[in-house]
């Protein structure tokens, strides 16, 4: 049996967190502490972690596209006509749409 000493403010914060997830405070605390001790996210947050991973991948893609787009614009400004400029612009637009979709998905999933 585990006993915790909490201030009134701490107890209220834990109770509010448990209520948001429709759990008893002790059940919420047990799930949260077990997950932290095991170094694994709680099962109900697994989808959010997967979505975060997708956002991080899209961010990396956007960064690489941005570097290539900057190079293409620099070549264009020096008088070279780059046939890849439109491709990079389209890829950037697709990546931004993907990030928008992922952000909306995360917004819907968060409590």
């Amino acid at each position: 049996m585990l006993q915790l000493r909490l201030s009134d403010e701490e107890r209220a914060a834990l109770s509010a967190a448990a209520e948001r997830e429709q759990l008893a405070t002790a059940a919420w605390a047990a799930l949260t502490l077990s997950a932290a001790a095991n170094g694994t996210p709680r099962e109900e947050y697994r989808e959010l972690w997967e979505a975060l991973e997708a956002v991080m991948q899209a961010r990396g893609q956007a960064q690489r596209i941005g570097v290539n787009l900057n190079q293409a614009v620099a070549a264009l400004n020096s008088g070279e006509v780059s046939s890849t400029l439109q491709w990079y612009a389209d890829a950037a637009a697709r990546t931004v749409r993907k990030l928008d979709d992922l952000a909306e998905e995360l917004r819907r999933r968060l409590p």
Side-chain angles (χ1 to χ4, degrees):
M1 181 164 131
L2 174 69
Q3 292 184 358
L4 300 173
R5 293 179 190 255
L6 302 170
S7 69
D8 290 340
E9 294 82 17
E10 291 168 333
R11 183 180 304 279
L14 266 62
S15 294
E19 188 175 314
R20 281 192 302 270
E21 297 188 32
Q22 299 176 343
L23 292 170
T25 303
W28 180 88
L31 287 170
T32 303
L33 289 171
S34 292
N38 293 327
T40 58
R42 288 180 38 194
E43 187 60 37
E44 56 269 30
Y45 295 132
R46 186 168 310 283
E47 288 181 354
L48 290 175
W49 282 104
E50 289 170 2
L52 176 60
E53 183 179 335
V55 168
M56 292 170 61
Q57 288 175 355
R59 182 206 169 275
Q61 290 173 346
Q63 183 176 12
R64 288 187 295 278
I65 290 168
V67 168
N68 291 333
L69 189 56
N70 283 340
Q71 291 172 350
V73 168
L76 185 62
N77 288 336
S78 70
E80 295 177 37
V81 177
S82 173
S83 62
T84 59
L85 186 57
Q86 185 62 48
W87 185 90
Y88 288 126
D90 291 342
R94 283 192 307 273
T95 300
V96 169
R97 280 192 302 274
K98 182 178 178 182
L99 286 169
D100 286 344
D101 292 346
L102 287 168
E104 178 61 22
E105 183 179 341
L106 286 171
R107 187 198 62 75
R108 281 186 281 117
R109 290 183 182 187
L110 287 171

